[in-house]
Amino acid sequence: DTAVSQTPKYLVTQMGNDKSIKCEQNLGHDTMYWYKQDSKKFLKIMFSYNNKELIINETVPNRFSPKSPDKAHLNLHINSLELGDSAVYFCASSRNPGTGVGQYFGPGTRLTVT
Amino acid sequence: DQQVKQNSPSLSVQEGRISILNCDYTNSMFDYFLWYKKYPAEGPTFLISISSIKDKNEDGRFTVFLNKSAKHLSLHIVPSQPGDSAVYFCAASVTGANNLFFGTGTRLTVIP
């Protein structure tokens, strides 16, 4: 069984569109994350949620809005997509917030904005 | 500002030899360090970690060394196997925070 799953795996869309990426974890973890890996392979945290509450919000444009309907899901909605949003987005989860350790990652969603 | 750096984007090693991957960090508040391994089209998977109270942690063929004074850590893989070929990310965190800071990764190729 997949521990952290993301859909879709690939997403190609045009500038200006709105898109969502879904993430689900079946590990019973309380904390979930979204990371962005840019073209330089730099993996950087965007958001962190603990029990459906936002606890980390790095400097990310307001066009990005995470939504956590329950602690097993953390979806990422992106409005008015721009070329610079092209990247691989990874969802992750962990049991222990506050340590940053033991994070389990999903397979990633490769977003291409044309 | 990148707080965790992996200055070698790639490394090639013969099967059976030792692979040494290096990582430097700038934030002296970091007190927990991790290595992740990533295969193509997959997410990073946790490999090994070390707390700042230690200078070495070993798990099978993998050993991580921490030099706090130099703000440097390294991952040793011995003996290297072709299945070890992947991208290795170094990461660091501060206990109490909820954030992992990643390096840009080193692509290891183990040549059979």
Side-chain angles (χ1 to χ4, degrees):
Chain A
D1 279 346
T2 304
V4 181
S5 60
Q6 295 178 229
T7 54
K9 198 168 176 70
Y10 300 95
L11 183 54
V12 181
T13 188
Q14 290 183 329
M15 283 176 55
N17 284 348
D18 303 338
K19 290 293 178 185
S20 292
I21 306 171
K22 295 185 177 180
C23 177
E24 177 181 2
Q25 54 95 2
N26 62 6
L27 297 166
H29 289 166
D30 291 326
T31 307
M32 296 185 72
Y33 313 80
W34 276 109
Y35 285 84
K36 178 181 180 181
Q37 185 180 33
D38 60 23
S39 57
K40 296 182 180 178
K41 307 303 181 186
F42 186 36
L43 191 63
K44 186 173 180 181
I45 194 166
M46 300 172 67
F47 301 100
S48 174
Y49 269 70
N50 179 244
N51 277 323
K52 300 176 11 179
E53 288 191 20
L54 181 65
I55 52 175
I56 288 179
N57 182 354
E58 292 296 309
T59 307
V60 177
N62 291 337
R63 299 181 294 103
F64 290 78
S65 54
K67 287 185 171 49
S68 182
D70 54 63
K71 74 175 192 178
H73 295 83
L74 181 62
N75 304 323
L76 183 64
H77 189 77
I78 315 170
N79 290 326
S80 303
L81 278 155
E82 300 177 357
L83 292 176
D85 298 332
S86 296
V88 182
Y89 293 84
F90 289 99
C91 177
S93 72
S94 69
R95 179 179 294 113
N96 297 316
T99 61
V101 301
Q103 293 187 17
Y104 292 76
F105 283 79
T109 295
R110 181 174 293 277
L111 171 65
T112 303
V113 182
T114 62
Chain B
D1 181 32
Q2 200 170 336
Q3 301 184 55
V4 178
K5 298 178 183 179
Q6 294 175 257
N7 293 319
S8 297
S10 63
L11 174 68
S12 291
V13 172
Q14 286 290 135
E15 181 178 4
R17 306 294 291 269
I18 184 171
S19 296
I20 300 177
L21 296 95
N22 293 304
C23 177
D24 297 293
Y25 61 95
T26 57
N27 189 342
S28 58
M29 297 294 291
F30 288 145
D31 59 3
Y32 207 91
F33 304 90
L34 309 91
W35 284 95
Y36 279 79
K37 179 178 179 180
K38 184 183 180 304
Y39 291 116
E42 295 183 11
T45 55
F46 170 74
L47 187 59
I48 191 170
S49 63
I50 188 168
S51 164
S52 61
I53 63 173
K54 294 185 176 181
D55 54 18
K56 177 183 175 181
N57 188 27
E58 191 172 352
D59 183 2
R61 297 185 296 113
F62 302 90
T63 303
V64 56
F65 295 92
L66 175 62
N67 182 335
K68 290 187 290 294
S69 60
K71 295 191 179 69
H72 177 84
L73 65 155
S74 61
L75 174 68
H76 291 210
I77 307 172
V78 55
S80 301
Q81 299 174 354
D84 297 330
S85 296
V87 177
Y88 290 79
F89 288 95
C90 170
S93 70
V94 177
T95 300
N98 210 62
N99 197 355
L100 274 180
F101 292 85
F102 281 87
T104 49
T106 296
R107 180 178 300 279
L108 173 66
T109 302
V110 180
I111 303 163

